[in-house]
Amino acid sequence: MANRDNPHGFGPLNRSLAGGPGAATFECHKLAATAAIFIGDAVVRVAAPTRKTPAIGPATAAGPVFGVNLIYGPGSTATDKHLVIPSGNLQMFEVQDNDDVTGIVAGGITKNANFATGAGSVATQLSGTELDIATLAATATLGMRLHGLLNEPNNDFGPHARVIITFQRNEEADQSAGVLDVVEDEEPVAEEEEAVAGAGGRHRGRK
């Protein structure tokens, strides 16, 4: 039986390659972000959030990944409480391959690949992201490692197979650069010092 062609982004399997459970974190979608975030999209954290939680945006196919988004966020709309499954610590996800002819064969397991972004569906709110079969190789810099087929009766090697993957380029790796903007404004401090001096009061210097 042929595999069903059903792009849906990354589905969390709620366990790591080492057998531990998955985790989740809340993020936000900025008002100024024009790109929608779909269920199953790989996401990264972005600078200058407009809510109390960190902000996320769509990840690029060859770049690092923070995690997988599970709540739809329309474009140009500020939304709270985006549930994200972080991709670190060998968290496992499943994703469909994008090949209509050959798809994943047994020899592709344990190779690496990037994903291919596709248009998400506003109707279903699901991601259009798939595994990019054209990038399948042993190359170490590719973003995902293939670990096997999703063990379901209607899934087999071939076109549109659903494959278990882990992300190799995680945004929260050790000693990674920060992404949240912090603006240092010294002007209010200077005004405060002048006001205290004018009133004849004492001002304790900042260390």
Side-chain angles (χ1 to χ4, degrees), residues 80 173 191:
D80 285 324
E191 292 176 356

Side-chain angles (χ1 to χ4, degrees), residues 28-165:
C28 75
H29 187 217
K30 299 190 325 184
L31 177 62
T34 56
I37 304 176
F38 293 88
I39 299 169
D41 271 353
V43 295
V44 292
R45 279 180 166 168
V46 296
T50 51
R51 291 291 194 266
K52 294 180 179 180
T53 53
I56 53 172
T60 58
V65 171
F66 171 68
V68 170
N69 174 59
L70 299 185
I71 296 178
Y72 173 64
S76 303
T77 304
T79 48
D80 285 324
K81 296 185 178 178
H82 277 262
L83 191 66
V84 174
I85 307 297
S87 59
N89 298 321
L90 299 176
Q91 288 298 310
M92 301 167 72
F93 302 87
E94 58 87 11
V95 63
Q96 172 184 293
D97 83 59
N98 68 350
D99 189 25
D100 295 326
V101 180
T102 304
I104 295 294
V105 298
I109 301 304
T110 70
K111 288 186 178 179
N112 299 332
N114 285 334
F115 60 83
T117 56
S121 169
V122 175
T124 66
Q125 301 183 352
L126 290 177
S127 171
T129 296
E130 299 176 272
L131 185 150
D132 187 357
I133 196 74
T135 66
L136 190 66
T139 309
T141 54
L142 294 168
M144 303 182 301
R145 172 67 58 83
L146 282 62
H147 296 283
L149 293 190
L150 184 65
N151 188 15
E152 290 191 350
N154 59 348
N155 187 52
D156 205 346
F157 288 112
H160 313 303
R162 296 168 70 186
V163 186
I164 298 171
I165 64 95

Side-chain angles (χ1 to χ4, degrees), residues 13-23 89-92:
L13 300 181
N14 296 320
R15 65 182 188 275
S16 74
L17 191 62
N89 298 321
L90 299 176
Q91 288 298 310
M92 301 167 72

